[in-house]
Amino acid sequence: MQKNDTWLLAGLFGVTLSTLSLEILDTRFLSVVTWYHLSFFAVSVAMFGMAAGALRVQMSGDRWKGPAARAKLAQETLAFAVAIPLCYLATLAIPIPEGFSLRAVIALGLATGLLAMPFYLSGVVVTLCLTRCGGKIGLLYFADLVGAACGALLIQPLLEHTNAASTAILCGAVAALAAACFRMDQRRAPVAPLVTAGVLTALAFLNLGSPPPVGVWYSKGKFVDPGDVEREEWNIHAQVIVRKPKPGRPIYWGPGAVNTPFPDVDRMRMLIDGDAGTYMTEWDGSPASLEWIRRDVTSLPHHLRTGGTAGVIGVGGGRDLLTALWAEHASVVGIEINDNFIELLEGPFRDYANLATHPGVRLVHDEARSFLTRDETRYDVLQMSLIDTWAATGAGAFTLSENGLYTVEAWRVFLDAMKDDGLFSVSRWYDPRLVSETSRLLALATHALIERGAERPRDHMALVAAGKVATLIVSPSPLSDADLAGVRAACEREGFRYLLGPDHDDSGDNALARIAGATSMAELDAAVEDPWYDFRPPTDAQPYFFNLLRPAAAWKAMTGGTIERRNDAEIGGVLEGNMVATSSLMALVLVALVGALGIIVLPLMKGRPQGLKTSELAVGIGYFALIGVGFLFVQVPFMQRFSVYLGHPSHAVVVILFSMILAAGLGSLASERAPVETNKRFPLLQPLAIAALLVLWTLAVQPLIEHTIHFGLAARSAIVIVAVTPPSFLMGMCFPMGMRLVSRLSEDALPWMWATNGAASVLGGVLAMSVSIWTGIDTGLLIGAGCYALLSLAATRLWSAGERRRAA
């Protein structure tokens, strides 16, 4: 390494910062323009693009080494900077239709190529820095990882204060500054990179001020008319589009059959990530003008409890808050994790919705479980209506779709927040013709009540449906005769259908009756047992409420088999979404496997790297494949576990990526002082220490979550950082350790090893998701521990090969 490599390290830092920011932005972008089950596809595209860049360096032979490699950095980085905004804007013009068709395949293929191009160029630059510029690999990899960690941290404020297009353009500006650093490293004037950075920065801010700014042109294959957009907000949670206000008949999620005429209302439709919808209704502040709300089955608990204290989980456009105000509750608390909704209600639409102006309404920006654990209020009604997005429901529980509101541990918190005779109300999609979430919802309620000591859980519940929505009310105490009379009266007056209660069964579904009738955990386990569908109550360790298909059912359906149906139910709705998500995940596994094998095998066309035996090459590939797979089998479970704890997957993505990558970078830096080449025990024991630490972490995580869930978000985020730092620090040592061990055998093989690591990471990510969904998050983490245990064997073999080479 040269005497002063500050500019080289700064350039590498800037490239990885913009790369990681772009990767997270693409997951948000794909969630808006296509379906949630393809958002993880962005991660795969990024990793494969970078691996392809590494292959380009490997196949270049001796042309890019030493000074030639450094001279190439500024050129490739400037191309990377320009490609980011150009490829992003080009992708905006591609409508990606729903479903599987030739048009959809072509559109997705074009979008994939455009999204991958910047990562390919980034992969070239990073590989040149790490493997061809000379120097201490631990220090270089430290700069790489610290840049990526800062990129994970930067994306949240960028999205909150700009929009997706301006964020992409600013990522290009950062990359241009990195190109300037590489030019300075060559002692050349960085005129072109600095001009590019200035132009891109100016374009980003001009876009924010233009009426309207460049936004998403096609969402879910449909054109987004900017003339119909009243306001657009972005943050790490979601894109929220507020449509122009329109008068019309009241909108109902589950309308009763009695069609009582009500006056028109003025409302604005709000779209979350282009598809999931909610409404903000203009209100004059009088409960009398809200009489229309009583016709919706989601209002059921307020037919039974009025004039008390109500809580709403998931404010959205404020619909459930209006329902509570219709029932004239004196105090209404709205808990919303996406602060954009609260800012819209308190800011530009304050006088339109008139919710933030009401003296009895308090809007809280927090995660519901954490807030209710800390809150001393006890509620007459706690309402949770259709809390998720329909897109997430259909996708069926990928990494970014698990939901901590529908787990056994969450419902302990919710029922503890109720008054003794309070009503916890949960509304979900329901269709008696289809296998739906309702069975699982009822199983979750039954489990929670048995756990609380209820002798007959069914006495505490009533299930009522209307339209395509069912509302389940659950009380810590048995429902009174007056409550049951109120349920019947509401059903008769509004045309709701009373499905199931202590004294009633009109569901036509024996499975629902068996689940509600269980009085012990053993009876409940027997009631939910099914070879095809998973109706078991979700837990924090397996929080996939929306994923109803067992692996055998998914595989049988996709291969043309027939699934035995409960009550002759048809597959549709949520299960159809589960099928799409599962088939997409399996396709990703196949693509990742083929891609990883291709990246590993393709360089063999040029022969083995000079001086490397076949057995040594195989061990080296195995070492870096284990790092790639193992790291993702740790990172993905960390994200899944802590998305429940932090309250939203997006928080977990930012906190986990930042803390893991930063800690790994510090581990890489520390590895420079490690006796890798001189002490055989270090390569043996270091990976084993990681494996042992991960096993201990798996045993300790649930008690940690349960004892600290009541802390505020900042405190919980700090706990997460402390929890993931020790294993991440040790894992960060493995890559530079492997590079040092392989370099003793052949420096020409280093780009190949870097490409192998990237390709294996893609495969590890999709496999980790599959394992977590169907066997539990902790299982995935234990597999990660197993990968690092095996790594000790590969490391010692590489060390021994190096010693034999040195002795010869």
Side-chain angles (χ1 to χ4, degrees):
M1 182 170 279
Q2 296 177 7
K3 290 183 178 180
N4 189 344
D5 278 313
T6 302
W7 289 115
L8 177 68
L9 296 171
L12 179 57
F13 172 90
V15 168
T16 56
L17 185 152
S18 53
T19 299
L20 208 287
S21 294
L22 181 63
E23 182 179 326
I24 299 176
L25 175 64
D26 282 352
T27 64
R28 280 272 76 246
F29 174 67
L30 281 178
S31 295
V32 176
V33 300
T34 184
W35 303 96
Y36 275 106
H37 54 265
L38 287 178
S39 63
F40 191 80
F41 183 64
V43 180
S44 302
V45 167
M47 289 181 168
F48 269 134
M50 295 192 72
L55 274 189
R56 181 186 172 193
V57 175
Q58 174 67 34
M59 303 291 279
S60 69
D62 294 334
R63 288 186 296 117
W64 293 348
K65 280 188 176 180
R70 287 181 178 246
K72 192 73 174 172
L73 289 175
Q75 176 186 336
E76 296 291 328
T77 304
L78 190 58
F80 170 53
V82 174
I84 292 174
L86 289 182
C87 291
Y88 177 84
L89 292 174
T91 307
L92 291 178
I94 302 174
I96 303 176
E98 180 184 3
F100 183 81
S101 64
L102 180 60
R103 180 174 168 229
V105 170
I106 292 173
L108 190 58
L110 288 172
T112 299
L114 288 168
L115 290 173
M117 179 55 66
F119 296 105
Y120 166 76
L121 295 169
S122 172
V124 171
V125 174
V126 173
T127 306
L128 286 173
C129 288
L130 294 180
T131 67
R132 293 294 175 88
C133 289
K136 296 180 179 179
I137 183 61
L139 182 59
L140 289 166
Y141 196 50
F142 168 74
D144 175 318
L145 294 179
V146 172
C150 291
L153 204 60
L154 181 65
I155 191 66
Q156 185 163 349
L158 276 180
L159 276 176
E160 288 179 353
H161 294 96
T162 63
N163 57 33
S166 290
T167 297
I169 297 171
L170 288 172
C171 286
V174 172
L177 292 176
C181 293
F182 289 133
R183 293 274 290 188
M184 294 295 291
D185 180 63
Q186 293 292 292
R187 292 179 170 82
R188 299 174 64 187
V191 177
L194 290 178
V195 170
T196 303
V199 169
L200 290 176
T201 302
L203 287 175
F205 285 99
L206 284 173
N207 176 57
L208 291 175
S210 65
V214 174
V216 172
W217 297 333
Y218 292 95
S219 181
K220 312 302 190 275
K222 300 174 183 176
F223 178 68
V224 178
D225 181 7
D228 191 35
V229 176
E230 180 75 17
R231 197 174 184 92
E232 180 182 6
E233 301 288 344
W234 283 84
N235 62 16
I236 198 69
H237 299 300
Q239 176 216 37
V240 177
I241 287 181
V242 183
R243 297 289 194 189
K244 297 285 187 183
K246 294 179 181 178
R249 300 185 65 183
I251 299 295
Y252 299 104
W253 307 123
V258 177
N259 190 7
T260 306
F262 290 106
D264 287 356
V265 296
D266 199 73
R267 72 286 173 102
M268 293 186 290
R269 190 180 185 200
M270 307 175 79
L271 293 175
I272 300 98
D273 284 346
D275 185 64
T278 185
Y279 287 86
M280 183 185 294
T281 305
E282 186 178 29
W283 182 46
D284 60 8
S286 170
S289 64
L290 298 174
E291 193 66 20
W292 57 271
I293 283 180
R294 64 180 172 83
R295 189 185 168 212
D296 200 308
V297 73
T298 60
S299 70
L300 178 66
H302 300 287
H303 286 262
L304 310 180
R305 299 283 187 276
T306 60
T309 301
V312 172
I313 300 174
V315 171
R319 171 60 177 277
D320 288 344
L321 296 176
L322 290 177
T323 309
L325 293 170
W326 163 74
E328 299 187 359
H329 289 287
S331 173
V332 181
V333 179
I335 312 163
E336 175 59 58
I337 194 166
N338 189 338
D339 57 336
N340 274 347
F341 285 113
I342 293 180
E343 290 174 3
L344 290 171
L345 291 171
E346 292 181 339
F349 305 119
R350 180 182 180 87
D351 296 327
Y352 181 87
N354 268 314
L355 291 170
T357 61
H358 194 285
V361 173
R362 179 162 66 109
L363 300 178
V364 177
H365 174 218
D366 204 343
E367 189 276 321
R369 283 175 64 172
S370 176
F371 173 77
L372 291 171
T373 304
R374 303 191 312 271
D375 186 28
E376 295 182 359
T377 305
R378 291 298 171 259
Y379 294 89
D380 295 286
V381 173
L382 186 60
Q383 187 172 6
M384 188 167 75
S385 302
L386 303 170
I387 299 303
D388 65 89
T389 65
W390 172 247
T393 304
F398 278 162
T399 296
L400 306 182
S401 304
E402 65 270 11
N403 200 312
L405 298 178
Y406 299 95
T407 69
V408 169
E409 293 84 356
W411 282 40
R412 288 178 196 150
V413 174
F414 299 152
L415 291 176
D416 284 343
M418 308 304 303
K419 293 180 179 177
D420 288 341
D421 63 345
L423 300 178
F424 176 42
S425 169
V426 185
S427 298
R428 293 299 318 154
W429 303 109
Y430 170 75
D431 188 329
R433 300 169 303 166
L434 306 175
V435 175
S436 70
E437 309 156 358
T438 307
S439 297
R440 200 167 204 182
L441 187 69
L442 203 60
L444 181 55
T446 303
H447 185 287
L449 290 166
I450 291 173
E451 192 177 60
R452 291 177 67 87
E455 294 182 2
R456 281 176 42 88
R458 183 167 173 168
D459 290 346
H460 299 245
M461 299 185 289
L463 182 65
V464 176
K468 293 185 177 181
V469 172
T471 293
L472 175 67
I473 56 174
V474 184
S475 178
S477 302
L479 296 175
S480 66
D481 292 339
D483 289 332
L484 298 178
V487 170
R488 293 191 200 93
C491 290
E492 183 177 352
R493 182 173 58 251
E494 308 300 339
F496 302 153
R497 183 183 172 193
Y498 187 10
L499 296 178
L500 196 67
D503 59 347
H504 188 82
D505 184 1
D506 189 30
S507 64
D509 189 337
N510 293 331
L512 291 180
R514 286 199 305 272
I515 291 170
T519 58
S520 67
M521 294 298 184
E523 290 182 12
L524 179 59
D525 290 343
V528 300
E529 184 60 33
D530 191 283
W532 307 114
Y533 307 120
D534 190 355
F535 297 124
R536 295 172 299 170
T539 64
D540 282 357
Q542 200 168 356
Y544 303 102
F545 175 81
F546 305 116
N547 193 60
L548 299 178
L549 278 182
R550 292 184 181 273
W555 178 256
K556 192 167 186 179
M558 285 188 295
T559 54
T562 301
I563 299 176
E564 298 174 13
R565 299 181 173 94
R566 284 189 167 203
N567 301 328
D568 297 322
E570 301 172 0
I571 292 183
V574 174
L575 282 183
E576 186 175 0
N578 283 180
M579 288 297 303
V580 172
T582 303
S583 59
S584 298
L585 181 57
M586 291 186 175
L588 274 177
V589 171
L590 181 60
V591 169
L593 181 61
V594 172
L597 291 175
I599 285 173
I600 291 171
V601 172
L602 188 61
L604 285 175
M605 295 173 61
K606 291 194 66 175
R608 293 195 313 273
Q610 186 176 0
L612 199 63
K613 298 178 181 178
T614 302
S615 59
E616 295 168 345
L617 175 63
V619 174
I621 288 173
Y623 181 98
F624 284 93
L626 283 171
I627 289 178
V629 172
F631 193 90
L632 267 294
F633 262 100
V634 176
Q635 188 180 74
V636 170
F638 276 4
M639 288 183 184
Q640 292 167 321
R641 261 301 198 172
F642 285 128
S643 71
V644 172
Y645 179 62
L646 295 178
H648 197 283
S650 298
H651 280 317
V653 167
V654 172
V655 174
I656 293 296
L657 282 180
F658 170 75
S659 54
M660 283 193 71
I661 295 173
L662 181 60
L666 293 172
S668 173
L669 186 62
S671 72
E672 282 297 319
R673 297 177 178 272
V676 174
E677 295 89 352
T678 59
N679 188 340
K680 184 177 182 179
R681 296 182 64 187
F682 186 85
L684 171 67
L685 297 179
Q686 196 270 350
L688 291 178
I690 298 172
L693 194 58
L694 291 175
V695 172
L696 292 175
W697 193 97
T698 305
L699 298 174
V701 64
Q702 189 59 37
L704 174 69
I705 290 174
E706 291 179 355
H707 285 87
T708 59
I709 188 68
H710 61 284
F711 290 1
L713 179 61
R716 281 178 285 131
S717 298
I719 289 171
V720 170
I721 292 172
V722 171
V724 305
T725 292
S728 302
F729 179 86
L730 293 177
M731 288 188 293
M733 292 183 169
C734 295
F735 178 82
M737 179 172 73
M739 296 293 269
R740 286 164 65 179
L741 291 173
V742 171
S743 67
R744 300 170 75 193
L745 305 173
S746 171
E747 291 193 355
D748 290 341
L750 297 183
W752 194 353
M753 299 300 105
W754 172 241
T756 297
N757 177 71
S761 296
V762 181
L763 182 61
V766 293
L767 287 176
M769 284 194 299
S770 305
V771 168
S772 294
I773 289 171
W774 287 313
T775 66
I777 295 172
D778 292 346
T779 303
L781 201 57
L782 292 174
I783 291 175
C787 288
Y788 281 99
L790 290 174
L791 191 67
S792 65
L793 299 178
T796 52
R797 290 196 62 182
L798 287 175
W799 188 91
S800 298
E803 284 299 293
R804 288 193 297 271
R805 189 72 57 86
R806 186 177 65 85

